[in-house]
């Protein structure tokens, strides 16, 4: 409810070529430094993921304000914008699970802080016939002045690898392979770009950490390793939250998962 105070974390107590129509990623907007007293906002998409983080041992007290982001790009963009407007956080961390598009580079059961987030599904057509916003001449957001327009990719300083945000997860290995080839992405999720766009418009630094629960396109959830993924994501999240960094942002990546 709107009149409740923010919750502090207390888990421990209980066919284009790859990237052809993407253009250069928009630089991440982080120029409006918030007060050092402003909170860190930690977003977890679903209650399932939040409970898994709790089972893994939690994030401890005092790390930030924990809120659910919602499932999928529409809910998570709206929710993130709402929470930024309410709390004016100095930084945002998005934490949850994703499906790997490259099981060799990003195996199931590991976690990664992502370095770039892309979006599939906006434009015309789908699959190899998709025409993206840049090719259509229609950026999703055109800032004033000489700032880079946002089409369907945003850089996330301090991370590594491309994360592809989709409206519907890959339904088959063939669809996952197609997405990997078209976007040169390492993993797919359903919230990353949406949260990144909301943060960029608010000039709020963002880090995205995804635990890899499954191979994208594998719809038999009995083969997923959700808890292992969230265990790994929690460890990396704690390193990221506790690393010394800029007053309003995140520290450099820690390459030891």
């Amino acid at each position: 409810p709107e009149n409740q105070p923010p919750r502090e974390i207390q888990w421990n107590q209980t066919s284009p070529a790859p990237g052809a129509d993407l253009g250069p990623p928009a630089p991440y907007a982080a120029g409006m430094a918030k007060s050092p007293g402003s909170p860190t906002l930690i977003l977890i998409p679903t209650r399932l993921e939040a409970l898994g983080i709790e089972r893994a041992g939690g994030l401890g007290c005092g790390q930030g304000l924990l809120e659910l982001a919602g499932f999928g790009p529409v809910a998570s963009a709206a929710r993130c914008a709402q929470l930024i407007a309410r709390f004016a956080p100095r930084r945002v961390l998005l934490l949850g699970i994703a499906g790997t598009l490259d099981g060799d580079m990003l195996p199931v059961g590991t976690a990664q802080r992502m370095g770039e987030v892309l979006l599939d599904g906006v434009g015309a057509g789908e699959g190899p016939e998709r025409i993206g916003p840049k090719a259509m001449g229609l950026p999703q957001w055109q800032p004033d002045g000489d700032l880079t327009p946002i089409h369907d990719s945003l850089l996330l300083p301090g991370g590594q690898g491309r994360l592809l945000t989709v409206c519907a997860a890959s339904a088959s290995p063939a669809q996952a392979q197609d997405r990997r080839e078209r976007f040169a992405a390492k993993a797919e999720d359903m919230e990353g770009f949406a949260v990144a766009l909301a943060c960029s418009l608010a000039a709020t630094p963002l880090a995205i950490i995804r635990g890899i629960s499954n191979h994208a396109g594998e719809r038999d959830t009995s083969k997923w390793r959700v808890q292992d993924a969230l265990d790994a994501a929690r460890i990396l999240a704690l390193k990221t939250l506790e690393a010394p960094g800029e007053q309003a942002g995140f520290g450099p990546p820690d390459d030891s998962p």
Side-chain angles (χ1 to χ4, degrees), residues 24 29 48-49 52 55 80 83 90 117-118 150 154 177 183 187 240 244 247:
L48 180 149
E49 290 159 294
R55 282 193 294 269
C80 183
L83 293 170
R90 73 180 186 275
V117 62
L118 306 94
I150 298 173
L154 284 164
Q177 180 66 21
F183 292 94
T240 301
Q247 185 181 77

Side-chain angles (χ1 to χ4, degrees), residues 111-131:
Q112 185 154 319
R113 178 177 166 186
M114 309 309 299
E116 183 181 352
V117 62
L118 306 94
L119 179 68
D120 190 14
V122 172
E126 61 182 10
E129 298 178 349
R130 173 183 177 269
I131 303 172

